[in-house]
Amino acid sequence: MIEIRKVTKSYLHHKGGRKYIFRDLSFTIPSGRNVAIIGRNGAGKSTLMNLLAKVDTPDSGRIITDKSISWPVGLSGGFQGSLSARENVKFIARTQGFRGQALKEKVTFVEEFAEIGEYFDLPTKTYSSGMKGRVAFGLSLAFDFDYYLVDEAMSVGDVHFKTKASDAFKAKVGQANILLVTHGMTQVRTMCDLVIVLNDGKATLYDDVEEGIKVYQNL
């Protein structure tokens, strides 16, 4: 279970003063559900995702859970550009407590998943955004979490990689759950059994996926 309790989040806008994304937002995500977080642009989807991942913090309120939640899958902003993918993966694996053979296995997994060939040993600052996304996607999947936060990550790459990415998440279902932020309703229908629609700073939960999609499409 993940409980969002009276969360307020705002940002200071250089023209319009302080902009509030959420004011006293409260809702609970039940255990064992694969969740789609949908809404129009600017509804706060990415903000909520960053709060859940603890990439950002609320102005006030709390997010309460005893489950482990991944960093946003596909987020490549944390790479050190002068280091290769291999070196970045080693560093992150060490911060997660892996050493020796276990560390090598994590590196091998990411290298094989990303499929970027010799670039894996070149500085990540030389990568295209798609290549960074592939490495970041593989890196996220290399570790076990109770929930994986996914923000359009499966739009990275060609058809082969999209299929591979989708299959990887389907393999996780049953062992872990996903929190999917997307504009793609096909992904919502195939991967989720609960829809959260964000609108006007509020969150409405729908057990009926089609009902949630219809509400979103009518916004």
Side-chain angles (χ1 to χ4, degrees), residues 63 93 96 131 202 206-207 216:
I63 295 177
Q96 297 294 312
M131 290 166 65
K202 299 179 177 63
Y206 296 90
D207 285 308
Y216 160 67

Side-chain angles (χ1 to χ4, degrees), residues 23-192:
R23 291 179 188 261
D24 291 327
L25 179 68
S26 295
F27 65 95
T28 299
I29 299 174
S31 298
R33 306 297 292 273
N34 293 305
V35 183
I37 301 171
I38 58 179
R40 299 175 67 180
N41 289 335
K45 301 184 298 297
S46 294
T47 297
L48 178 59
M49 183 183 68
N50 288 334
L51 292 172
L52 289 168
K54 298 183 179 179
V55 173
D56 203 351
T57 56
D59 300 348
S60 61
R62 300 173 62 198
I63 295 177
I64 304 166
T65 185
D66 60 352
K67 304 297 184 182
S68 60
I69 302 175
S70 77
W71 53 81
V73 171
L75 182 67
S76 56
F79 289 154
Q80 170 53 253
S82 62
L83 300 180
S84 68
R86 187 182 305 279
E87 291 165 331
N88 272 285
V89 173
K90 283 182 178 180
F91 173 78
I92 294 170
R94 289 191 187 103
T95 68
Q96 297 294 312
F98 291 89
R99 299 290 186 275
Q101 184 60 33
L103 185 147
K104 291 180 181 177
E105 289 174 359
K106 296 299 181 187
V107 174
T108 298
F109 175 88
V110 179
E111 182 176 13
E112 292 178 351
F113 191 92
E115 297 181 345
I116 60 170
E118 63 184 12
Y119 280 94
F120 198 75
D121 289 300
L122 295 177
T124 55
K125 65 184 177 183
T126 66
Y127 295 5
S128 67
S129 59
M131 290 166 65
K132 287 181 181 178
R134 284 170 172 254
V135 175
F137 201 111
L139 181 61
S140 300
L141 291 176
F143 302 99
D144 294 325
F145 296 98
D146 295 317
Y147 285 93
Y148 287 87
L149 277 167
V150 190
D151 186 5
E152 301 288 8
M154 282 171 286
S155 64
V156 171
D158 55 20
V159 173
H160 163 72
F161 190 80
K162 288 177 184 176
T163 301
K164 183 177 183 177
S166 180
D167 289 345
F169 270 106
K170 288 175 183 176
K172 290 283 186 182
V173 173
Q175 306 168 40
N177 294 105
I178 63 169
L179 300 166
L180 176 67
V181 177
T182 184
H183 292 286
M185 294 303 103
T186 298
Q187 291 179 358
V188 172
R189 289 184 171 100
T190 58
M191 302 189 72
C192 301

